[in-house]
Amino acid sequence: MIHLRTLGAVELTDGRGNPLDTVATQSKRFAILVYLALALPRGWHRRDSLLALFWPELDQARARHALRQALHFLRKSLGDDVIRTRGSEDVAAGPALRCDAVEFEDGDATAHTLALYRGDLLPGFFIRDAAPEWDHWMDERRNALRTRAEHLTERLGRPEAMPPVAAPARRAGLRWRLPGLAAAAAFVAIVVGAWLVPQRALARSTLADSLYRRGLTTLQAQGDRRAALGWFEAALEASPRFPLAAYYAGVTADQIDEQASRAWFTRAEAMIPQASEHDRLVIETAAAFRRDAPAALAIADSFARRYPTDPLAHHLLGASQLWAGDFAGALGEFRTERAMVPESRDAQDGIVAALQFLDSLPSAEREAWVEVHSAPQSFAAWGSLAVIQAAEGHTNNAKASARRSAELTPGHVDDPLSAADFEIRASHFAAADRMLRDGISYGTNAGREQARWLLIISLRNQGRLQEALRYARAYRRENEDPSGLGAIPEAQVLFELGRTDEAGALFDSIAAPRTVPRAQASGVDARRESWNLAHAAEAWAAAGDTTRVKAYADTIEGMARRSLYGRDRHLPSHLRGLVWLARGDTDSASVALHAAVFSLSIGYTRTNLELARVLLDRGQAREAASVASAGLAEAVDGSAYYATRTELHELAARAFDAARQPDSAAAHYAAVVRAWGQSDPMFAPRLGAARDRLAALQARGARGVD
């Protein structure tokens, strides 16, 4: 079988993919092969028609001799099944020749057929001394094929298959959170993946523009990133200098293949000098956002001011404000966007995220339901609802929504790790541990890593710290890398064991790797180092080294100016609150810890823990209960990683108890007793106190005593 590629490139290969350059480099003989394959009507062609196209300057005898030589060469090089003759006058392409343009022109009206069109017919190909009839024939065939591509693009409602993309999706089920990152990052990852049709998107061809818009429609209507990426790649094949097509390829690939996504964004940035003002602002905003550069806010604001009627401008400004910590401002921008495009899922996602950051979970759930009702077949809409329901503690509802999301996810496979996450939230640790141990024993490499990460969380919540430490050290051995992030579980378990000097030193080592001085650090580097320095300072505060804690607070304050993420600017206040606590000044500690709050639902959960303790000590039991309970909304492997849910339950129980709300207190005490039932001996006094108080509350309830 011989393969002839003519759309978007010129290539001739044998059945093994080996190039047949001896034919492809002889332009006139190669052109005869193309003509026999593509000329209409398909089938036999008279030799005289070939003579007029290829040898108009020769007399009849010499032209026929040249044609006989050309056909003999093609049959000898490619085989008799590629070039057939009938009698002395008829010539045709044989069954052993496969041509992409023929398959595209004769194929059904499907996305698979459209995917064959990767650009114009024989781009850059010409024949020396060809007749004007050849040029005319080529122009007709190019235009006909281009027109078919445009019509197919307009006709297709939903692409069923597209060219394969870089790598399998890393997400499975609802596990779009990366280990150890805040759920906030996941929300913004969704929000910044805008699926809006920009006002201006200048392509170099009508076909490229049609393919690009089909990609946007695929994202907006189905949320099918894999298919949409194929459309954007096809648009770039048709028009390689199309900035927004490269930008959206990067956005779309972000949850499929991180390396490919970075490459697309880099390509989009390289096109900025040729981009329109509108497209430049889109790409520059996204580039700054991805680097956690504070400049993203200023660029996004300029974009919204320059193009106030463009919903994409409001969307990107809202996303930047959300990440920076201006939740109310972000909510306003997303609502403006929705007013412009009522059906926009981007706007709805943004509204849901902003409400969760604002700690308004019931409102966030109502908005999530709006999205589900408007797009009941959207796995993203159901997934967003599941996240909110889990944050509210409605675990059974969250499980049902998560199952529905998984069923609707393209290429869905069961993900037991998501189920284990829900079981940990519900304090069903035995069930969670079974799933996770199975994942460690039988999963893929990535699955085993994630299962071990979650099992360490489960064991920490159960107070089984010695066992957690063994798994944490195994995790570190299997995840050694220059960043040192594989040591995070071990450092955290050491901290909870009270081995604070070891924990502080290990967190310091995680924060230390730098390729540039702090003064030149990117926003991403500044955010990462600030976060790990905060954990180190937490350990040093527990060890009593307040001088070092103050120094770390000052360092983080300087680095936070280089980061867009608003949480970084709150971390120094948290550390200064710890210093005031060490000095016994609860008034100053209360002020500092209140200033440290980024979001009670999606912030640094250790701030919830420390602030609730201070409030309880100051007699503000109701506020303490609210702060501790809000910390339970965060995902177990997000910002809540550094404070166990059991600690929050224990503190909430004591606060509700002091606030004379016995039913709420009993529910939280019961969670503590379930979690620490098989804990290490160091938890025995606290477990005993929780059991005694739970029994007392239950006895009073049985007697009808308020």
Side-chain angles (χ1 to χ4, degrees), residues 600-619:
L600 289 173
S601 299
I602 313 179
Y604 183 26
T605 309
R606 288 211 65 85
T607 300
N608 295 60
L609 202 61
E610 299 296 348
L611 178 57
R613 286 171 179 160
V614 169
L615 292 169
L616 187 57
D617 289 344
R618 290 164 55 85

Side-chain angles (χ1 to χ4, degrees), residues 68-124:
R68 283 196 301 272
Q69 285 187 315
L71 294 176
H72 174 75
F73 170 81
L74 290 173
R75 295 182 72 176
K76 181 179 178 181
S77 301
L78 304 177
D80 292 343
D81 288 339
V82 173
I83 299 294
R84 296 186 299 163
T85 59
R86 185 176 63 182
S88 60
E89 294 299 324
D90 296 328
V91 186
L97 179 65
R98 293 191 59 178
C99 177
D100 58 347
V102 173
E103 293 180 14
F104 169 71
E105 192 164 47
D106 296 347
D108 296 330
T110 66
H112 176 75
T113 297
L114 181 57
L116 295 170
Y117 191 87
R118 298 177 236 182
D120 279 343
L121 176 68
L122 297 183

Side-chain angles (χ1 to χ4, degrees), residues 21-75:
D21 292 338
T22 55
V23 176
T25 55
Q26 297 196 36
S27 60
K28 188 168 290 189
R29 292 173 176 180
F30 181 80
I32 292 171
L33 180 67
V34 171
Y35 180 84
L36 293 175
L38 277 178
L40 297 176
R42 306 267 189 251
W44 298 100
H45 301 280
R46 303 288 292 178
R47 294 192 181 215
D48 289 345
S49 64
L50 297 174
L51 300 181
L53 283 172
F54 296 107
W55 292 280
E57 77 284 5
L58 299 182
D59 59 35
Q60 183 80 354
R62 293 171 62 198
R64 281 185 169 270
H65 176 71
L67 176 59
R68 283 196 301 272
Q69 285 187 315
L71 294 176
H72 174 75
F73 170 81
L74 290 173
R75 295 182 72 176

Side-chain angles (χ1 to χ4, degrees), residues 288-485:
F289 188 101
R290 287 174 61 81
R291 296 189 182 104
D292 266 310
L297 264 178
I299 301 170
D301 185 67
S302 297
F303 186 19
R305 290 175 183 273
R306 182 70 180 84
Y307 297 96
T309 61
D310 186 350
L312 178 59
H314 293 282
H315 183 87
L316 292 178
L317 178 56
S320 300
Q321 290 174 324
L322 184 67
W323 196 236
D326 182 3
F327 309 138
L331 182 61
E333 294 298 329
F334 291 133
R335 283 177 170 162
T336 298
E337 175 192 347
R338 186 172 64 178
M340 293 178 174
V341 188
E343 70 278 9
S344 170
R345 280 177 34 218
D346 291 316
Q348 198 65 32
D349 283 340
I351 290 169
V352 171
L355 288 169
Q356 186 171 1
F357 275 103
L358 285 165
D359 306 319
S360 184
L361 296 180
S363 297
E365 183 178 358
R366 285 194 295 272
E367 293 290 350
W369 274 114
V370 169
E371 189 172 2
V372 166
H373 290 318
S374 65
Q377 300 304 306
S378 166
F379 72 87
W382 282 101
S384 178
L385 176 61
V387 169
I388 300 300
Q389 289 170 329
E392 292 180 288
H394 303 160
T395 306
N396 289 334
N397 291 340
K399 286 181 180 179
S401 298
R403 281 195 299 270
R404 184 59 181 146
S405 174
E407 291 166 358
L408 294 169
T409 300
H412 159 65
V413 293
D414 289 333
D415 180 17
L417 299 186
S418 289
D421 188 311
F422 285 123
E423 299 299 348
I424 293 172
R425 281 181 174 271
S427 300
H428 298 156
F429 296 109
D433 291 357
R434 281 196 300 273
M435 297 176 190
L436 296 171
R437 292 182 197 279
D438 285 347
I440 293 171
S441 298
Y442 307 115
T444 62
N445 288 337
R448 286 196 296 271
E449 174 188 341
Q450 182 70 356
R452 188 174 281 110
W453 176 276
L454 285 174
L455 182 57
I456 295 165
I457 293 173
S458 179
L459 294 170
R460 288 172 49 218
N461 275 276
Q462 296 173 68
R464 297 162 62 180
L465 297 183
Q466 295 296 339
E467 188 176 358
L469 184 60
R470 291 195 295 274
Y471 277 101
R473 285 175 170 162
Y475 183 92
R476 182 182 179 185
R477 285 194 300 272
E478 296 185 14
N479 291 276
E480 286 287 1
D481 62 78
S483 72
L485 295 179

Side-chain angles (χ1 to χ4, degrees), residues 63 164 223 226 236 345 364 368 396 510-511 614 622 657 660 669 698:
R226 200 169 280 280
L236 284 158
R345 280 177 34 218
N396 289 334
I510 296 168
V614 169
R622 290 182 182 273
D657 206 352
R660 296 185 179 180
Y669 278 128
Q698 290 173 335

